């Protein structure tokens, strides 16, 4: 339930300022009010909704929100990548390589959804093998938001190969042990993702003007 509402909010189908009422939403989705109530609380925790005196309203994503999400992720993932590189095991690289393999297969058949799933699995590898429980927990908190963001941005890419090549380059640098080069590539990688989401936001219903995760 939370995922369906999250997609509507991030895509702009539910516009900022829209008031969300449990009863009508329960009827719309054919569920009881309980799952709706839980989903609203979850999205409020993620900063997508806000409780006001007149009820729960949509905050949505602004360009400021996108910038905050990606600058936060830059800090988190730099730490995750650095720690993983310093304590890398055959298992950690095998998981990252498998994710890249799945990305290539998805790119070749132009399956944007499968590509996005493998993309997130690739980046999640760094958090899983960083040996930092709280860092992994913060990533898990924001992972649902980034999953929807990635679905939106990947769906815009006619050719998924450039995004695939960016991930292959990042993995190669990570495996080389050159932390400085890997972090530089990661920064450029996330900046590109941030810019694609900002562009998508400007074109979304109610969005402001102005491939890979």
């Amino acid at each position: 339930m939370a995922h369906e509402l999250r997609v509507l909010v991030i895509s702009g189908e539910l516009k900022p300022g829209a008031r969300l009422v449990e009863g009508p939403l329960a009827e719309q989705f054919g569920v009881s009010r309980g799952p709706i109530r839980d989903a609203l609380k979850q999205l409020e925790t993620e900063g997508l909704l806000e409780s006001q005196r007149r009820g729960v309203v949509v905050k949505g994503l602004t360009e400021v929100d996108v910038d905050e999400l990606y600058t936060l992720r830059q800090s988190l993932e730099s730490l995750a990548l650095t720690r993983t590189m310093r304590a890398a095991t055959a298992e950690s690289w095998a998981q990252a390589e498998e994710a890249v393999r799945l990305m290539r297969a998805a790119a070749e058949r132009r399956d944007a959804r499968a590509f996005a799933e493998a993309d997130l699995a690739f980046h999640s590898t760094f958090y899983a093998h960083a040996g930092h429980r709280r860092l992994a927990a913060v990533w898990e908190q924001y992972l649902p938001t980034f999953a929807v963001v990635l679905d939106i941005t990947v769906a815009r890419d006619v050719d998924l190969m450039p995004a695939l090549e960016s991930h292959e380059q990042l993995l190669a640098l990570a495996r080389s042990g050159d932390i400085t080069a890997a972090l530089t590539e990661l920064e450029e990688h996330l900046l590109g993702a941030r810019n694609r989401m900002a562009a998508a936001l400007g074109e979304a219903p109610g969005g402001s003007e102005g491939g890979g995760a």
Side-chain angles (χ1 to χ4, degrees), residues 85 93 172-180 182:
M85 289 177 66
W93 295 135
L173 289 172
R175 295 208 63 169
S176 76
D178 189 335
I179 292 177
T180 299

Side-chain angles (χ1 to χ4, degrees), residues 9-16 59-62 200-209:
V9 171
I10 294 178
S11 67
E13 291 187 48
L14 282 174
K15 297 182 180 180
K59 289 183 65 178
L61 281 185
T62 66
L201 185 66
E203 297 174 10
S208 59
E209 294 300 327

